[in-house]
Amino acid sequence: MYVPPHFAVPDHNTLLDLIERHPLGILVTHSKGTLDANHIPFELDRSKGDKGVLNCHVARKNRVWEEVANGDEVLVIFRAADAYISPNWYPSKHEFHKQVPTWNYLVVHAHGRITVRDDERYVRRNVAKLNHMHEASQPAPWKMGDAPKDFIDTMVKAIVALEIEITSLVGKSKLSQNKEVRDIQNAGEMLNARGVNGMGEAMLAAAAAKSQ
């Protein structure tokens, strides 16, 4: 990924925070001369490995787990907010007429080594952790015990777990940081006014940081 210095996010924990807030990743694998991409929710374990471990599961019928070998290098892409930015939102455009449209976004690329974990105990633990993570905010969290045991047993046997040890993280925070503070701030306010609050707030934070 091309990352100009003004868009780089060097802090490791900031990148892990983004992964935890936006856990649906795109797993990119390479096998037999072709690329494959699967959209999968991940659970991040910061305590394992030097840089953390990503856990997920896929349907047994999804051949991705058969097409990779343990230790293969893979890429997982996590995307947070994104938005189109009109040059009309930059005050400087109306003075100098030297701005063009762009698209801003927040992304993390997690490079790592994959391991297939086709054992029932590991799969159950992986599913339980994902379930707890996403159900925690519900008023009455669903748990695996809410379903008949034979049904859960059948579902568990129909999936395979994948474990990815992160070897490097590359983050890009494209928030118009190469523009004037007033341009960044006004574009952020325009996004908020249109209800695109995630990117709007991020741009306002970038404007505040640049003004310091």
Side-chain angles (χ1 to χ4, degrees):
M1 177 169 62
Y2 170 60
V3 186
H6 43 269
F7 296 149
V9 185
D11 184 69
H12 183 77
N13 286 323
T14 297
L15 300 180
L16 294 181
D17 289 344
L18 185 145
I19 290 174
E20 288 183 330
R21 291 195 304 271
H22 305 276
L24 182 67
I26 302 172
L27 171 62
V28 181
T29 56
H30 183 266
S31 175
K32 299 178 181 178
T34 62
L35 292 172
D36 191 17
N38 284 271
H39 300 254
I40 307 170
F42 285 85
E43 181 261 332
L44 170 65
D45 189 338
R46 298 189 186 214
S47 68
K48 291 184 178 179
D50 292 334
K51 297 179 172 64
V53 168
L54 295 167
N55 300 293
C56 69
H57 59 268
V58 296
R60 187 171 293 277
K61 291 182 179 180
N62 184 339
R63 297 184 60 187
V64 63
W65 70 275
E66 297 177 299
E67 293 174 345
V68 296
N70 289 343
D72 278 358
E73 293 186 5
V74 298
L75 169 67
V76 187
I77 302 170
F78 296 92
R79 183 179 65 82
D82 72 282
Y84 171 78
I85 306 298
S86 170
N88 289 322
W89 299 348
Y90 295 140
S92 65
K93 178 264 182 187
H94 302 284
E95 295 179 22
F96 307 110
H97 307 287
K98 293 183 178 180
Q99 297 290 356
V100 294
T102 193
W103 203 287
N104 283 352
Y105 51 87
L106 300 165
V107 293
V108 174
H109 286 193
H111 298 260
R113 291 185 292 267
I114 195 168
T115 300
V116 177
R117 303 296 298 266
D118 188 16
D119 66 86
E120 186 174 332
R121 180 176 296 180
Y122 186 92
V123 170
R124 283 182 181 273
R125 184 166 65 249
N126 172 250
V127 172
K129 289 173 74 174
L130 277 171
N131 171 70
H132 177 74
M133 179 172 69
H134 295 297
E135 284 287 324
S137 62
Q138 298 297 317
W142 181 90
K143 55 187 181 299
M144 293 172 70
D146 290 345
K149 183 179 181 304
D150 58 344
F151 172 76
I152 293 296
D153 290 345
T154 299
M155 297 299 290
V156 167
K157 288 175 178 151
I159 57 179
V160 177
L162 303 174
E163 180 182 78
I164 299 168
E165 181 182 358
I166 298 172
T167 55
S168 67
L169 290 173
V170 181
K172 186 171 183 178
S173 175
K174 186 174 180 292
L175 301 169
S176 300
Q177 298 97 317
N178 54 332
K179 307 296 182 183
E180 296 180 32
V181 170
R182 59 174 178 160
D183 290 337
I184 305 171
Q185 181 167 341
N186 194 67
E189 291 172 352
M190 294 297 286
L191 288 173
N192 279 347
R194 287 163 170 75
V196 190
N197 302 99
M199 180 54 64
E201 292 301 324
M203 290 191 69
L204 291 177
K210 188 168 183 175
S211 66
Q212 292 178 352

